[in-house]
Amino acid sequence: MTKPTALFYDFFQTLRSRGWELGWEQYELFMRGFILSKFETKEQLLNFCKTVWLFRPELREEFEQLFDYYYRQIPAQFLIEKKETIHIKAPTGAGKPEAAPSAAKELQSSSNSTLTQTPQLSAPVPELSNETVEVSLNIDSSSEGNVANEVSPLPSAKEVTFLFSEQKHLPFTVRKASQTLRKLRVPTQKRNTPVLDVPALVQQVAQEGMVSRLIYQRESIGVQQIVWLSDHGGSMLPFEPWEKQLLDIVKNTPNIRQTEQYFFHDYPSQEGDDFKLFTNRAHTEIKTLSSILKASNRHTAILIFSDGGAARRRFDSERLQVFLPLINTLKNTTQRLVWLNPVRQTQGTMSDYLSFLVSVRYPNNDDLKRLILEL
């Protein structure tokens, strides 16, 4: 017995396995559109799937072949039943007046006959399963007596094939990524704690005969600063859940005191020897790179999250002319610079050329470990 899957979920996963840059938001958009819309023909459903999933015109033929294959596997309850209508032409001229009443009688008799017929099911009724289900009971001992509450076990995300979870389709595991980032080498500072240093006070009394000043214990705290440069929108839209999860891990990592995020689309706009970045996704507030680097030092870690044109599989010379001086400017401030590219295949793109100047890593568990060693 095969496990039930959501509509076109296998189709969607096949596209992802062939290198199509699709995220969970695209599948959620498809499901919402399918539920809210009324598709009457196969062509309408095909055009809708192209709208939400097809981003490259050259792959249209492959997309249509896969669509035809998975369309034949759609369960019967999702298919649209065609309704037949009966049109009766009214008599014209001096025709026979009995034509219309006779047609009406035939239509009424046919409708009565259809009402009396027993509707036939399009699919056989599934047999009842005799498998036993494991159930745990929680016994609540109260003043009213013992009450047994039945608790059915919930399936995990990996057991349910049609549950589209963000963490289930990340290239890294949240737990391992959190453990890896804890190993980041960070600069530390000493600071006083509110706890008195008793051995130091005893030594002070032994030397001076009295407590002249209070001595507190000191501890080392991390003062690591992270500057995160985000390429967003366009081809980077499917990877926003990846970036959001990585940023949450970075912000919750101990010893990282400050994390600043700045935005650009494709590449930062250049103005002379400086570059413009934005403090929000709406691009309403600008902050120059020089002002950002003034508050940084050689211990600051800078991470660039961008595909570098690899998602569209093309080389962009204009983008390269901007990133070359940008990387040189960043390296003049700190050598702790890493480029995170969510697209694995970078051959022949700008990201492939930049890998000679800066460390380019794919955000999986193994490359995140190498990233920490380089920082």
Side-chain angles (χ1 to χ4, degrees):
M1 182 178 179
T2 59
K3 294 183 178 180
T5 58
L7 178 63
F8 272 174
Y9 179 76
D10 295 335
F11 179 29
F12 179 77
Q13 287 293 70
T14 301
L15 296 177
R16 286 170 54 89
S17 64
R18 296 194 176 191
W20 294 48
E21 308 298 342
L22 296 173
W24 65 273
E25 293 181 345
Q26 277 75 15
Y27 186 79
E28 183 182 7
L29 179 62
F30 164 77
M31 290 301 297
R32 289 182 179 179
F34 182 82
I35 294 173
L36 297 177
S37 304
K38 296 180 180 180
F39 300 104
E40 298 180 354
T41 61
K42 176 183 176 181
E43 287 73 18
Q44 292 180 357
L45 182 59
L46 173 60
N47 293 332
F48 176 69
C49 291
K50 288 181 179 179
T51 303
V52 294
W53 289 348
L54 181 61
F55 297 100
R56 300 177 193 166
E58 62 271 14
L59 299 176
R60 182 176 302 170
E61 183 177 357
E62 178 185 358
F63 185 87
E64 292 177 353
Q65 291 177 358
L66 292 174
F67 176 85
D68 291 337
Y69 174 76
Y70 287 102
Y71 182 81
R72 293 192 295 266
Q73 301 181 10
I74 295 180
Q77 61 266 26
F78 291 113
L79 296 178
I80 303 170
E81 298 179 357
K82 296 182 179 179
K83 299 180 179 180
E84 297 182 355
T85 57
I86 301 175
H87 299 279
I88 302 175
K89 294 183 179 180
T92 57
K96 296 180 180 180
E98 295 83 5
S102 61
K105 291 180 180 179
E106 292 178 0
L107 178 61
Q108 184 177 3
S109 61
S110 62
S111 61
N112 294 333
S113 61
T114 54
L115 290 175
T116 56
Q117 293 178 358
T118 304
Q120 298 180 356
L121 297 178
S122 58
V125 179
E127 298 180 358
L128 295 177
S129 176
N130 295 325
E131 298 179 357
T132 58
V133 180
E134 182 179 355
V135 176
S136 59
L137 296 179
N138 292 339
I139 306 301
D140 182 15
S141 300
S142 58
S143 58
E144 299 179 357
N146 296 333
V147 180
N149 299 322
E150 181 177 344
V151 180
S152 59
L154 296 177
S156 63
K158 292 184 178 180
E159 293 176 351
V160 182
T161 57
F162 53 84
L163 180 62
F164 204 90
S165 172
E166 290 184 32
Q167 296 187 7
K168 186 177 179 182
H169 297 277
L170 291 175
F172 57 90
T173 57
V174 177
R175 180 179 179 182
K176 288 185 179 180
S178 302
Q179 294 174 350
T180 301
L181 284 174
R182 289 175 180 269
K183 300 177 183 178
L184 177 66
R185 294 173 297 175
V186 298
T188 59
Q189 289 182 355
K190 293 286 187 178
R191 72 173 182 181
N192 291 331
T193 65
V195 181
L196 291 173
D197 191 349
V198 177
L201 291 174
V202 172
Q203 185 178 3
Q204 182 185 31
V205 172
Q207 293 177 354
E208 302 178 7
M210 59 179 296
V211 177
S212 58
R213 68 184 188 282
L214 295 178
I215 303 176
Y216 295 91
Q217 295 181 2
R218 297 174 63 84
E219 65 177 359
S220 298
I221 60 170
V223 290
Q224 180 63 56
Q225 180 188 12
I226 301 290
V227 176
W228 191 287
L229 306 182
S230 299
D231 181 8
H232 73 106
S235 59
M236 290 297 295
L237 183 63
F239 307 108
E240 287 185 0
W242 298 13
E243 183 183 26
K244 180 179 180 299
Q245 190 65 63
L246 284 172
L247 269 173
D248 291 342
I249 296 174
V250 170
K251 293 178 180 179
N252 294 326
T253 300
N255 297 330
I256 295 181
R257 181 185 64 180
Q258 185 179 6
T259 302
E260 300 176 1
Q261 185 181 15
Y262 300 97
F263 302 91
F264 63 91
H265 179 63
D266 289 343
Y267 53 87
S269 59
Q270 191 174 6
E271 189 177 73
D273 296 334
D274 208 349
F275 300 88
K276 291 182 179 179
L277 297 168
F278 299 93
T279 59
N280 52 40
R281 296 183 181 273
H283 291 192
T284 57
E285 296 183 6
I286 298 176
K287 194 169 185 179
T288 61
L289 181 63
S290 57
S291 61
I292 297 173
L293 296 181
K294 282 182 181 179
S296 306
N297 52 50
R298 62 186 182 90
H299 297 293
T300 302
I302 301 178
L303 289 91
I304 304 175
F305 191 84
S306 173
D307 66 330
R312 302 188 185 274
R313 303 290 195 274
R314 66 186 181 187
F315 177 78
D316 192 346
S317 59
E318 182 180 359
R319 186 181 299 193
L320 182 61
Q321 293 175 2
V322 175
F323 275 108
L324 285 178
L326 174 65
I327 291 177
N328 291 330
T329 303
L330 296 176
K331 281 190 171 183
N332 291 333
T333 302
T334 177
Q335 294 296 320
R336 307 181 72 182
L337 175 63
V338 174
W339 188 299
L340 279 175
N341 194 333
V343 180
R344 190 186 295 272
Q345 302 296 333
T346 61
Q347 290 81 1
T349 64
M350 186 204 68
S351 180
D352 196 14
Y353 286 85
L354 292 178
S355 61
F356 294 98
L357 302 176
V358 62
S359 176
V360 179
R361 295 298 179 187
Y362 180 76
N364 58 10
N365 291 327
D366 294 335
D367 275 15
L368 287 178
K369 291 181 180 179
R370 300 186 183 98
L371 179 147
I372 294 302
L373 295 177
E374 294 168 353
L375 290 178

